[in-house]
Amino acid sequence: RVRIRPGTPFSFGVLPEAGDTPPLPVFGLPGNPASSFVTFQIFARPFLLALAGHRRIHRPMLTATAGDAFESPPHLTHFFRVNLRGDPAEPSARLTGPQGSGLVRGGGLARGLAVVPEGVSLVNPGERVRVILLDEMGLGGNRPGF
């Protein structure tokens, strides 16, 4: 279990080498779509990029103004699916809709993941929030590849 939401039930391990087969890393992603999407973005994607030899393995981040309230249990880091609106120099992060881990639509609409860190239970509208960009173009451009 990891202390994030969505995505608490997550696993990682390595299958030992067998004969000529080298050790094999294995990710166990949660069953709910939003949970699986977030844990892939946070854990699996950077690992796979590093394994492939990439040097920039993490998605870019920016600071945005919260356009909605982001409420989270203080013992978890919470990743909210958001859109970015307004001035690209000072964007506003707005929820893509309901944030249930079994919901698919919000993830498909998301341009970023607003991060409410462990120890913070509420980010009010107008306060600053860090956002992991899912769309490399930031406020515009094409949908992310993965």
Side-chain angles (χ1 to χ4, degrees):
R1 297 180 86 66
V2 291
R3 292 179 2 183
I4 68 171
R5 182 169 287 159
T8 299
F10 170 82
S11 61
F12 174 78
V14 177
L15 294 175
E17 60 183 280
D20 293 339
T21 305
L24 179 66
V26 178
F27 289 91
L29 301 179
N32 283 324
S35 301
S36 185
F37 175 75
V38 167
T39 55
F40 179 82
Q41 295 298 326
I42 302 303
F43 300 116
R45 182 181 182 276
F47 181 90
L48 294 172
L49 288 173
L51 195 63
H54 291 267
R55 295 172 57 149
R56 294 173 60 187
I57 61 171
H58 296 288
R59 291 196 179 273
M61 292 184 79
L62 57 75
T63 301
T65 301
D68 294 304
F70 298 107
E71 199 168 340
S72 174
H75 64 283
L76 299 172
T77 297
H78 203 132
F79 297 89
F80 291 91
R81 278 94 59 210
V82 297
N83 275 317
L84 297 170
R85 298 180 182 159
D87 182 354
E90 294 187 33
S92 172
R94 302 292 308 253
L95 294 171
T96 57
Q99 297 288 301
S101 62
L103 302 176
V104 176
R105 186 172 188 271
L109 296 173
R111 291 287 176 101
L113 296 172
V115 183
V116 176
E118 187 174 340
V120 176
S121 59
L122 178 64
V123 175
N124 287 303
E127 294 180 349
R128 306 298 277 164
V129 64
R130 297 286 290 160
V131 177
I132 299 168
L133 294 177
L134 298 174
D135 179 345
E136 300 295 330
M137 300 300 288
L139 298 174
N142 297 325
R143 299 296 310 137
F146 80 106

